[in-house]
Amino acid sequence: MLNDARLSAMSERAQERQKTDPAGPAMRRMLSNRTRVTMGGGHGVQVSYATPDGRIYLWYPGNREVLAGRWRIVESNAVVRTRTSAYEFPQTRVCFDYGMNSYNPVTRKSGEECMHAAIMKMFAGQSVAGDRFGLSRRKAVPHVLKPTDRIDLGAGSAGGR
């Protein structure tokens, strides 16, 4: 069980860590001007390219067109309350918005969705610099992905068809 003394110490450590190693810039570096392949989270394989200015292009299983959207980093504090006190913990989230006409079949939501940076790192997958598949310059996907396809960023080709 966490008591006030432990929560206070944990909160202070988290706030100090955020000052010396903030998650926001690290997430920005992880996404900016990168093609990423992620697998899991109920979606299967996904390929995305994110620009440094906050645009993102998604090649999603079953889609025939590249989905264009926006991404952003949101830094805030989560508050844990006890009967006598409240403790703040810094949190970094990455938010993606593909518009109200898009639909996430896993979460069953439309519009912007945010994910904690720590969770995003768990699904980091492969990543290379640049727009490997030209997603920002095309409407049609290279081919319709199946959730179980394998994408090899090393070779620069999309396999598994």
Side-chain angles (χ1 to χ4, degrees):
M1 182 98 171
L2 294 175
N3 60 29
D4 282 325
R6 283 191 68 189
L7 280 170
S8 178
M10 290 169 62
S11 173
E12 286 176 24
R13 281 194 307 272
Q15 290 177 32
E16 282 304 310
R17 189 171 47 248
Q18 183 70 5
K19 288 178 190 171
T20 60
D21 186 24
M27 290 308 299
R28 193 169 306 287
R29 284 189 304 275
M30 183 177 135
L31 291 171
S32 291
N33 194 33
R34 310 279 309 169
T35 296
R36 295 181 327 113
V37 174
T38 56
M39 182 73 167
H43 300 280
V45 68
Q46 298 180 73
V47 181
S48 63
Y49 169 69
T51 67
D53 66 356
R55 290 173 290 136
I56 190 162
Y57 302 90
L58 178 64
W59 178 11
Y60 188 84
N63 285 6
R64 296 189 178 282
E65 292 186 0
V66 173
L67 194 56
R70 306 277 313 160
W71 70 274
R72 66 189 179 110
I73 305 288
V74 176
E75 300 200 57
S76 61
N77 285 316
V79 177
V80 175
R81 296 184 192 286
T82 66
R83 288 183 196 171
T84 58
S85 301
Y87 303 96
E88 291 188 356
F89 291 85
Q91 65 176 357
T92 299
R93 294 176 299 143
V94 183
C95 299
F96 300 94
D97 188 351
Y98 294 100
M100 290 307 294
N101 292 330
S102 67
Y103 178 73
N104 183 330
V106 174
T107 63
R108 298 181 178 158
K109 293 181 181 176
S110 295
E112 184 176 68
E113 292 190 66
C114 300
M115 175 184 299
H116 286 276
I119 293 170
M120 181 136 180
K121 286 181 184 178
M122 290 182 349
F123 292 101
Q126 300 177 59
S127 173
V128 295
D131 187 1
R132 179 62 56 99
F133 299 105
L135 299 179
S136 66
R137 299 181 307 274
R138 64 188 319 152
K139 240 180 167 13
V141 296
H143 69 268
V144 176
L145 280 177
K146 295 179 187 147
T148 56
D149 279 352
R150 300 255 188 258
I151 304 292
D152 181 8
L153 287 179
S157 62
R161 293 198 329 188

